[in-house]
Amino acid sequence: MWNKNELTQKLGIAYPIIQAGMAGGVTTPELIAAVSNAGGLGNLGAGYMQPEQMKQTIQKVKALTDQPFGVNVFIPEIPEVSEVDLEKANEWLRPFREELKLKEPAVGKPSTALFEQQLEIIIEEQVPVCSFTFGVPSKAIIQQLKRENITLVGTATTVNEAMINEEIGVDMVVVQGSEAGGHRGTFSIPFGEAMVGTMALVPQTVDHIGIPVIAAGGIMDGRGVLAALTLGAQAVQMGTAFVTSLESGAKKQHIESILNSTEDQPQITSVFSGKPARGIQNEFMTKMAPYEKELPSYPVQNALTKEIRTEAAKQDRPEWLSLWSGQGSRLSKRLSARELVVGIVSQVNQLVR
Amino acid sequence: MWNKNELTQKLGIAYPIIQAGMAGGVTTPELIAAVSNAGGLGNLGAGYMQPEQMKQTIQKVKALTDQPFGVNVFIPEIPEVSEVDLEKANEWLRPFREELKLKEPAVGKPSTALFEQQLEIIIEEQVPVCSFTFGVPSKAIIQQLKRENITLVGTATTVNEAMINEEIGVDMVVVQGSEAGGHRGTFSIPFGEAMVGTMALVPQTVDHIGIPVIAAGGIMDGRGVLAALTLGAQAVQMGTAFVTSLESGAKKQHIESILNSTEDQPQITSVFSGKPARGIQNEFMTKMAPYEKELPSYPVQNALTKEIRTEAAKQDRPEWLSLWSGQGSRLSKRLSARELVVGIVSQVNQLVR
């Protein structure tokens, strides 16, 4: 049986299909619960979430499903950003703010406080699965969460990063191929050196670590799921496929853009957040590209562009939104999350017959 | 049976495993014949070959196998390169030439003459399969070769390029994922926009064309072969895996570099040939990187660096060689081509059991 392995047993799920914990409002309680209720693993993208909102969302998920689900959090990064760099960035962003009638935002200093509060909630709420992106947590945090019987999932973009995750003690690791949409999880080398395609990354990782590997990047349907399992992964993580689902909280322009895109449109950019991410090429990306290397690091740049993105959605200007998408975008469909999971399972069942 | 389909029938091969027609001396008659004799399809990388040498090599292949094989040729490109640009490039290359005790080479004007002579030989020698890289040939050429019962194979790096290939009339098309080693086959858009991973590229292409798709990029073993077939490809094309085979004509430093590399070392560079290609990062790449955008286009830059690469191999300086490799390099093995093919076939047989 393609769906029974160490990972599905450990997570207590029927099918090795994980919905990525995408931050920024995509992962509604309805989406998470629909995926978990269909036999996959729904995940809350809590990376940017404030404690109270996060807690309420988790409670809402619990009200909608009695199946396991996960929460994804970001390992904090505290970059040094000078006043001069901040001023330069604000100057480059001024034309967008003017047209949207926005003021320059006050941007607070990044801290690790939010991350610590998020972990407390995960423990309090007894969330079954916790995943990390943008690095690995300390061994102390790993031990604390393990004592609470929380299953831990890391993120890697190279074989070496997967080995670092195994060494620190996570239970399983997502390997994110270069096809993946949204932010790159690279944390150990310059991101450009870690753009390894899923087809190459999965088998090489499987050969070098003992914990289960979850394949991510370019997987959109049953063909991709079975191919990833064939390469040695024990599950897949899919993001883009769920962004266009009916329960998705993604902005409607974002969903439309993915549904109408070709595979060469999602490109890597740092201009939205200060961290490389894959999204459908648009005017904000091309206009800001000349300044890309001089922009403040994540999460400062992310904070600087936040209102622009929110307001651009309200004013229906998709050309200034972050339209995160992986390279499998031509395969996207507008379906309920249940239909998506059920369709994938039946496609895999037909392929293995 | 995983190995029986329209493509294997059309090509008359037992297994859907194609050895890429890598130019530059890698594809010896012994390699090509070994792959074809093992039930795959060997290919001569004739891109840079002069007519007489090409003819002799083809005749040698025929002496070593009665099985089908192919020849790969390059669609000619005639860039405009000014004297000033040429002088600048020579100036940047001077330190390497001085240390290797080489003179500045006389570089002839690129022309289409070689390509036309190559096609004549393919017809004269009744080569069973002809593949094209760096574009599509004219409809007249397609028709001429088809009248000779030569099976034609195109190369694409996007869904749209695969559609262009189908429209022009080739029988099947290699889709080259971003993982692939050596030169990118991109011909319709800026190469950077066409870096689509194999996992995403194959199913999207299969959904949009009617001719068989051959998957390339990051495929190194039975897992990769079966994954690619699961995605909808009818065959795979493997380059890097054969570069390290015993029959390979690759320079020994090139083979050693691949065998000792990690998946993040093969990076994209244009500095060797003027065209983006994936090779293991070395000193020539890092030292020439600052001039990358100002170097003459392919094939002029290729001609300018040819002697440097040849002489660097002789003087055992791998840091100045083009060490083409895909991202699956950790999976490389030093085996005979027969052992490689037989091993893959038995691995796939075990996986499908």
Side-chain angles (χ1 to χ4, degrees), chain A residues 159 195 204 263 327 330, chain B residues 159 195 204 263 327 330:
Chain A
V159 174
M195 292 295 286
Q204 293 181 95
E263 80 290 352
Q327 294 185 317
R330 282 188 193 251
Chain B
V159 173
M195 291 295 286
Q204 293 180 95
E263 81 290 353
Q327 294 184 318
R330 281 188 194 250

Side-chain angles (χ1 to χ4, degrees), chain B residues 81 85-90 93 97 103-107 272 295-296 299-309:
Chain B
V81 177
D85 287 344
L86 215 53
E87 274 168 38
K88 273 200 290 182
N90 277 320
L93 293 169
R97 291 202 183 109
K103 292 209 195 87
E104 215 171 84
V107 170
F272 287 110
L295 293 171
V300 176
Q301 177 69 6
N302 194 57
L304 288 179
T305 66
K306 190 177 177 207
E307 281 182 309
I308 293 173
R309 290 176 279 128

